[in-house]
Amino acid sequence: MDFLREAFSGNNRFVLRLAIIAALGGFLFGYDTGVISGALLYIEADFHPSSFEAQAFVGALLIGAVVGAILSGFSADALSRRRTKIVSGCVYVLGALGSAAAQGPTQLIVARFVLGISVGAASFVSPLYISELAPKRIRGGVTSFNQLMIVSGIFAAYIVNWAFGGVSGNWRWMLGLGALPGLILAVGMYFQPFSPRWLVEQGREEEARDVLRRARSSEDEADEELGEIKAEAKEEGSLRDLLSPGVRAMVLIGVVMAVAQQLIGVNTVIYYAPTILKLTGVGTGAAITQALSVGITNVIFTIVAILILDRVGRRPLLLVGTVGCILALVALGIFFASSTLKQEAPVVALICLIAYIASFAVGLGPVFWLMISEIFPLKVRSAAMSVSTVANWSSNFLVSTFFLTLTGAITIQGTFWLYAGFGVLAAIFFAFRLPETKDRSLEEISHEVSSAEPEPESG
Ligand code: BGC
């Protein structure tokens, strides 16, 4: 495999090590996404929360993530990507221990909000940091380690939920165990270098050269890249630049990808897979086991994406993946609309869910986080990624909160067809507007974006 051969050769091994530690930010994100559905059952038995409080246990994290994504848009520039990740690891430890020790619903909601701040920050600073360190030939694959960690975190949470099912005080363990990867992230990042792009922006060129020389195959390659970064870093940026013609078009692409990633319904599949499978008539135990196969598929196909993203390119994978999700959603809707299918072939629902998650795992899952770390010029990169990430967490909040209400209003098949409709709009947009970023340096990409024709003045 080209990716593996490249990634394990020479100085790329150094990049690989940095990417694995940095991607732990994704693990925190995934662990929380996966753990709460299992823990909730036991928390409800202990605290007897009102239905508002029960929703707030889930929602507080998502709202915290929106706040974390805004704050880290500033701190990734002011404090550095590296320090932002150290702080986010520490905040995560506090939030996880706070959740585990909560004595009542309010304390738990506050602790989950704090966790969310950390998750929102880590969600985009991880891919940002990795893509700024990686050489262009393997940037797609190594940056997507972040997505691999997200899906591994989700899967690890399923296993923890299952393993602690019969243990007393189990939900406290489920939530508290998250402190461990948080701690490893904070300590690991303490020993990592700063991003070379951030160093150049601070005028610390010699340190940037040093990092690049350790991360590139030759000194010449490092020096050439440093030259490109310096040329780009000369340009001053302000928030207003987010609205300049070329950048504005990219911000729109980032936001559309962010919203599409959620409106296609991925987290309803993640949160509600057992519930959806139970509707097909299988028992609770079988539904949970089948949901595990959805989790494993997510991991396996994310690995496939990592292996081929740098060869096949981002655009083809995103398009094929989005079309795959649409077809699976349409088929899932047909399944729920047909009483014959439900009675005679309940396995069809499982096949559709697996096809759906495999398509998401090669498309919108990794490609969204990767491309928002590639398409913005350095001067606005953190701010523009922050805007896209806020759009992602806000839509995650809306879709997850209203899934059950929506199925009540327009039936479950109607809900899946609605998601498919959003997918069709997104696929059309991607086909016409998405650039290819494979095998190009971040500076080449942003040069093209910034030199986009200004719009003709009207009047
Ligand atoms: C999305 C998450 C989702 C996960 C599932 C990520 O890229 O941002 O919302 O839970 O993928 O695979």
Side-chain angles (χ1 to χ4, degrees):
M1 280 274 156
D2 296 354
F3 175 79
L4 289 181
R5 198 168 350 101
E6 282 261 358
F8 282 100
S9 69
N11 283 357
N12 284 349
R13 270 184 299 216
F14 172 68
V15 176
L16 211 58
R17 208 188 67 218
L18 302 186
I20 290 171
I21 299 282
L24 274 175
F27 191 89
L28 307 182
F29 166 176
Y31 186 77
D32 255 297
T33 303
V35 87
I36 191 66
S37 53
L40 208 53
L41 300 175
Y42 305 102
I43 297 171
E44 285 177 344
D46 261 10
F47 286 166
H48 308 293
S50 64
S51 66
F52 172 77
E53 285 167 338
Q55 282 216 338
F57 295 150
V58 181
L61 182 123
L62 301 174
I63 294 174
V66 171
V67 176
I70 296 173
L71 294 178
S72 52
F74 295 100
S75 77
D77 282 338
L79 267 185
S80 80
R81 290 60 165 134
R82 170 177 166 261
R83 294 196 191 108
T84 302
K85 285 179 64 59
I86 298 178
V87 174
S88 113
C90 296
V91 173
Y92 195 90
V93 173
L94 286 180
L97 297 179
S99 314
Q103 293 305 310
T106 313
Q107 283 180 19
L108 185 56
I109 292 166
V110 172
R112 300 268 310 154
F113 178 78
V114 172
L115 269 182
I117 295 182
S118 157
V119 167
S123 61
F124 86 83
V125 185
S126 300
L128 167 62
Y129 176 82
I130 302 173
S131 82
E132 288 192 338
L133 264 156
K136 62 184 178 189
R137 284 183 305 280
I138 55 167
R139 191 180 60 233
V142 289
T143 305
S144 302
F145 280 5
N146 183 61
Q147 177 72 11
L148 180 60
M149 287 289 190
I150 297 176
V151 298
S152 308
I154 295 176
F155 193 64
Y158 284 166
I159 294 179
V160 167
N161 286 348
W162 167 80
F164 282 88
V167 178
S168 76
N170 50 10
W171 66 264
R172 296 187 187 277
W173 281 104
M174 294 172 182
L175 300 184
L177 269 176
L180 203 64
L183 188 66
I184 302 176
L185 174 68
V187 175
M189 284 307 298
Y190 181 78
F191 292 102
Q192 306 259 76
F194 288 104
S195 144
R197 265 101 186 153
W198 181 82
L199 284 170
V200 173
E201 283 219 293
Q202 305 302 308
R204 294 160 63 173
E205 280 166 27
E206 282 317 306
E207 287 171 73
R209 185 190 309 277
D210 182 50
V211 178
L212 282 171
R213 286 192 172 181
R214 289 162 71 198
R216 296 295 177 268
S217 48
S218 71
E219 294 200 346
D220 286 350
E221 189 186 341
D223 292 348
E224 193 186 317
E225 194 165 330
L226 183 66
E228 288 182 15
I229 303 174
K230 271 162 55 181
E232 200 192 341
K234 274 206 206 100
E235 294 177 31
E236 290 287 318
S238 74
L239 279 183
R240 228 175 319 131
D241 290 313
L242 287 176
L243 297 177
S244 65
V247 177
R248 186 171 61 203
M250 291 299 135
V251 172
L252 180 68
I253 292 179
V255 170
V256 171
M257 275 201 285
V259 175
Q261 203 205 33
Q262 298 301 324
L263 291 194
I264 209 157
V266 64
N267 282 308
T268 55
V269 169
I270 306 252
Y271 294 141
Y272 297 104
T275 316
I276 296 171
L277 288 163
K278 259 188 86 174
L279 291 175
T280 70
V282 299
T284 309
I288 291 178
T289 318
Q290 290 183 1
L292 276 182
S293 63
V294 175
I296 296 177
T297 308
N298 205 356
V299 175
I300 294 175
F301 279 84
T302 304
I303 296 176
V304 171
I306 287 178
L307 294 177
I308 61 178
L309 260 168
D310 289 297
R311 190 151 36 92
V312 177
R314 290 52 162 157
R315 258 181 71 88
L317 280 180
L318 187 66
L319 289 171
V320 168
T322 309
V323 171
C325 286
I326 297 169
L327 295 178
L329 285 166
V330 171
L332 205 54
I334 294 175
F335 170 86
F336 279 106
S338 146
S339 41
T340 330
L341 269 177
K342 266 193 286 188
Q343 262 165 20
E344 289 175 15
V347 71
V348 170
L350 179 62
I351 295 172
C352 292
L353 284 180
I354 288 185
Y356 171 89
I357 209 73
S359 307
F360 182 85
V362 294
L364 270 164
V367 176
F368 161 63
W369 294 108
L370 168 61
M371 285 197 74
I372 61 165
S373 75
E374 298 182 322
I375 56 176
F376 303 119
L378 181 58
K379 60 181 176 179
V380 292
R381 188 171 294 143
S382 309
M385 283 186 82
S386 158
V387 169
S388 313
T389 307
V390 166
N392 187 263
W393 285 106
S394 316
S395 356
N396 186 340
F397 175 73
L398 289 179
V399 175
S400 314
T401 310
F402 292 111
F403 174 65
L404 293 178
T405 320
L406 203 60
T407 57
I410 61 169
T411 71
I412 187 145
Q413 56 269 33
T415 306
F416 289 133
W417 289 332
L418 181 67
Y419 292 163
F422 289 133
V424 170
L425 295 179
I428 295 174
F429 180 89
F430 297 152
F432 287 102
R433 302 294 286 275
L434 205 77
E436 180 54 83
T437 51
K438 167 183 93 142
D439 221 5
R440 296 160 72 199
S441 74
L442 296 180
E443 287 65 37
E444 279 168 335
I445 301 167
S446 70
H447 183 252
E448 199 168 294
V449 170
S450 310
S451 56
E453 288 287 309
E455 278 166 13
E457 302 247 334
S458 59

